[in-house]
Amino acid sequence: MRALAGRARLRIRVGRAMAAAVAAAAAAALVATVAAADEVVPPAVSPVVEAAAVAAAEGAAAAARPPSSYASGVVIVMLTGALALAMEAFTWLTVYRKEEYVAAKARVTGLAERLAREEAIIEPASKRKAQEKRIAGLTADLKIASSALSSPTRTAVSLASSALLFLAYRLLSSVYAGTIVARLPFEPPPFVRGMTHRGLPEGTHPADASFAFVYAVATMALKANLQRALGFTPPRGVYDALKASRKMAEEHAEKLA
């Protein structure tokens, strides 16, 4: 019995020793694996995979940029020109062709010519005061006649035109929101880019322009030049009369001083 118990204890000791040896071997293998993983050189990237990664990066950068449509700038200018022409045609139908406006414009033109001839005459000192009175009278008549050009009908038409331009701006801005519609031939100064880049995200090229800038410039340029080409601008004598009246007021103030 004692012999059997001794053999059992021996077997238990041998089993424990073998289990410890197996655990030590497993730990050594794990340490070796970790050390080998730290020294592994990553495999070379395939050229096809590298090209695909570059294309994906470029696509992401292009998607981040605002959309551009330079042909839309031409469309916006054409629409603005057509709108300005339509408004001038409506103004001609309601104001410019009326007999009251034609008569008032002719009177302004005649008074402006008389005032220009009177100012061109050089009178001697003895007749200078009489000439100044005539010039003052013609200037006052010219200012009264020019005020007749601004009839209530023309004021209403101007307000309607402004409302139409604002409505067109709101409609077109919703279509071209965040879109580059033109590229300027130069890079504007930083303090001007607030107008040229209105509605565009940050990071846009300095020479790019938004819809708001193109629409505003086209409206101002086309409307003024169209009125001048069609002869719908006020007679030049109105501005000359205002300059003459200011000049006479300054001279009168100097004499009083």
Side-chain angles (χ1 to χ4, degrees), residues 29-245:
L30 180 61
V31 172
T33 302
V34 173
D38 293 338
E39 297 178 358
V40 171
V41 179
V45 180
S46 173
V48 177
V49 176
E50 185 177 0
V54 172
E58 292 178 352
R65 292 194 297 267
S68 59
S69 178
Y70 298 128
S72 299
V74 179
V75 175
I76 292 169
V77 173
M78 293 177 63
L79 289 175
T80 306
L83 186 61
L85 184 61
M87 289 189 300
E88 292 302 322
F90 179 72
T91 307
W92 179 81
L93 289 173
T94 56
V95 178
Y96 295 147
R97 72 186 186 96
K98 299 294 183 180
E99 295 181 359
E100 296 82 1
Y101 183 84
V102 174
K105 186 175 181 180
R107 177 170 172 75
V108 168
T109 303
L111 290 173
E113 292 176 355
R114 288 176 56 188
L115 180 61
R117 288 194 299 268
E118 189 66 36
E119 290 177 344
I121 298 174
I122 301 176
E123 296 285 357
S126 59
K127 299 181 179 179
R128 191 72 52 81
K129 291 184 179 180
Q131 184 185 21
E132 290 178 357
K133 289 182 179 180
R134 290 194 300 271
I135 292 176
L138 289 173
T139 302
D141 293 340
L142 185 56
K143 291 175 67 175
I144 295 173
S146 61
S147 63
L149 296 176
S150 302
S151 61
T153 304
R154 187 179 183 186
T155 304
V157 171
S158 299
L159 293 176
S161 300
S162 301
L164 183 60
L165 287 174
F166 179 75
L167 180 61
Y169 171 80
R170 294 297 300 270
L171 291 175
L172 293 176
S173 62
S174 62
V175 177
Y176 297 104
T179 304
I180 300 171
V181 299
R183 170 160 288 191
L184 303 177
F186 59 91
E187 294 186 4
F191 63 89
V192 182
R193 293 174 191 171
M195 296 183 292
T196 59
H197 286 182
R198 184 178 180 83
L200 298 179
E202 295 183 0
T204 308
H205 192 277
D208 290 336
S210 65
F211 157 77
F213 177 75
V214 174
Y215 182 81
V217 173
T219 300
M220 292 186 294
L222 292 177
K223 186 176 181 180
N225 290 311
L226 189 60
Q227 287 180 343
R228 188 177 296 108
L230 297 175
F232 294 161
T233 54
R236 183 63 186 175
V238 176
Y239 306 106
D240 295 337
L242 295 176
K243 290 181 180 180
S245 62

